[in-house]
Amino acid sequence: MLRTIVLVIIAAAFGSGVANAQQKVEIKGLSSKVKVNQAVSGYLSELNGKYQLRVTEFTLEPGGSVGPHHHAGPGILCITAGEFTEGQADGKTTIYKAGDCYYASGDLTHSARNATDKPLVFLSFEILPASLSGGSIMPVPAPK
């Protein structure tokens, strides 16, 4: 019963159905380390306590991948080593290299892979709900 209540709360928070909240994103060869996780505070008082800023360092091993997914909030990704191949739902593919940074809104379906023989390392700077304690990668919501 408690598990059902938790899944309903998660589904309501992210605008998806309970069945979708139980889905998993296929992940291979990805590791992460949270570098900073801080509740928002300051002059933008309407944000204080409602959001957190999180910086995470990700490593995607050669041949590693993350299947189609969304994120719980928007962010900026900066590639620090290697090469990142991002696939989008519309079929577009973009390759980002060390030194590149880009904005990710969180609500667009995309996938990631490391098609090289060297590890890919990138930093993710995200704005997330204050209540989120786990990872920000989430399954693609079911169509409405």
Side-chain angles (χ1 to χ4, degrees), residues 13-14 70-74 105-107 126-129 132 135-138:
F14 296 114
H70 282 198
H71 290 268
S105 65
D107 61 349
E126 297 176 288
I127 300 171
L128 300 169
L132 185 69
S136 72
I137 294 173
M138 55 189 266

Side-chain angles (χ1 to χ4, degrees), residues 29-31 58-64 79-84 96-98 113-122:
L30 182 70
S31 60
F58 288 94
T59 301
L60 189 59
E61 296 301 326
I79 313 309
T80 58
E83 193 172 283
F84 176 73
Y96 297 98
K97 298 181 180 190
R113 68 185 163 93
N114 180 355
T116 73
D117 61 354
K118 294 185 171 68
L120 160 69
V121 181
F122 62 96

Side-chain angles (χ1 to χ4, degrees), residues 4 9 34 39 54 60 64 71-72 79 86 90 99 104 108 119 123 140:
T4 302
I9 291 169
V34 174
R54 184 185 295 170
L60 189 59
H71 290 268
I79 313 309
E86 178 190 48
D90 63 4
L108 295 177
L123 291 171
V140 176

Side-chain angles (χ1 to χ4, degrees), residues 36-122:
V36 176
N37 196 36
Q38 180 65 49
V40 172
S41 63
Y43 290 116
L44 299 174
S45 59
E46 63 275 10
L47 303 179
N48 293 346
K50 295 177 186 171
Y51 300 95
Q52 60 180 297
L53 294 175
R54 184 185 295 170
V55 179
T56 307
E57 181 180 65
F58 288 94
T59 301
L60 189 59
E61 296 301 326
S65 62
V66 180
H69 64 280
H70 282 198
H71 290 268
I76 294 173
L77 280 74
C78 293
I79 313 309
T80 58
E83 193 172 283
F84 176 73
T85 302
E86 178 190 48
Q88 296 179 0
D90 63 4
K92 181 181 173 187
T93 299
T94 305
I95 296 175
Y96 297 98
K97 298 181 180 190
D100 291 342
C101 293
Y102 69 96
Y103 173 77
S105 65
D107 61 349
L108 295 177
T109 301
H110 66 279
S111 58
R113 68 185 163 93
N114 180 355
T116 73
D117 61 354
K118 294 185 171 68
L120 160 69
V121 181
F122 62 96

